[in-house]
Structures are given as structure tokens and as C-alpha cells.
Amino acid sequence: EDANLKGTIAERVPAELKESAGKIAKDQWNIFRDDPNASKASFWSAVCKGLDISEDLASEMDSQICATLRTTFPETLAVLRRAKA
């Protein structure tokens, strides 16, 4: 399971932006991922501006996504253990 960036954002945008929301967010993620000087705040600011939504939603979306990132999956850990062996 992924972090559900697209779904998390799509839940908070007007209906007419739901399809483009994922692409806008993913494009910003690619910029963020490749820029060593980028910050989480700048990422969310760019996403919110690109979607014309309130930046007040950024912390809520970030929390929802981070909650999935802290989840561990037993089968993934088993593969990691085998790879290290």
C-alpha cells in the first residue's frame, strides 16, 4: 500500500479538481523529492497553491499521509530479513 497522496488530496478538493489533483500533487512530489533544499512546508504550500485550496488543509493532509508511512507490513519485513541473510 502506498501513502495515498492522490486519494488524500482528492478528498479535499472540489469535484472538478479531483482528477487533476493527483497529477498536480505527484508533480510537486517529484520536484520535492529531487530538491535537497526543499522542505515539507514548501511542498504542501506548492500543492495547495496548485490546487487553489487553503494551506490550512496541509497539516491535516500531511498527518493522514504520515500515519500510513509509519505502518509496517510483516511481509515486507520478512523480505528484508531474507535479503539481509
Side-chain angles (χ1 to χ4, degrees), residues 1-12 21-22 25-26 29 32 40 43-44 47 51 57-71 73:
E1 187 173 326
D2 66 12
N4 196 26
L5 173 66
K6 294 176 185 180
T8 299
I9 292 172
E11 292 172 358
R12 292 164 175 84
K26 186 65 173 178
W29 173 252
F32 173 77
K40 191 186 315 190
F43 165 74
W44 283 114
V47 169
L51 293 169
L57 295 172
S59 63
E60 180 183 318
M61 292 185 291
D62 185 63
S63 293
Q64 185 174 343
I65 290 168
C66 286
T68 66
L69 296 176
R70 289 175 173 74
T71 302
F73 301 93

Side-chain angles (χ1 to χ4, degrees), residues 9-84:
I9 292 172
E11 292 172 358
R12 292 164 175 84
V13 297
E16 63 272 9
L17 291 176
K18 286 195 185 295
E19 284 207 27
S20 63
K23 181 175 179 354
I24 290 169
K26 186 65 173 178
D27 289 347
Q28 288 303 319
W29 173 252
N30 290 336
I31 292 167
F32 173 77
R33 181 193 65 209
D34 297 335
D35 181 357
N37 297 316
S39 67
K40 191 186 315 190
S42 66
F43 165 74
W44 283 114
S45 178
V47 169
C48 292
K49 285 178 185 165
L51 293 169
D52 196 28
I53 60 174
S54 171
E55 288 192 37
D56 293 340
L57 295 172
S59 63
E60 180 183 318
M61 292 185 291
D62 185 63
S63 293
Q64 185 174 343
I65 290 168
C66 286
T68 66
L69 296 176
R70 289 175 173 74
T71 302
T72 59
F73 301 93
E75 61 276 1
T76 304
L77 296 175
V79 170
L80 178 62
R81 281 188 213 103
R82 283 192 304 247
K84 286 184 173 182

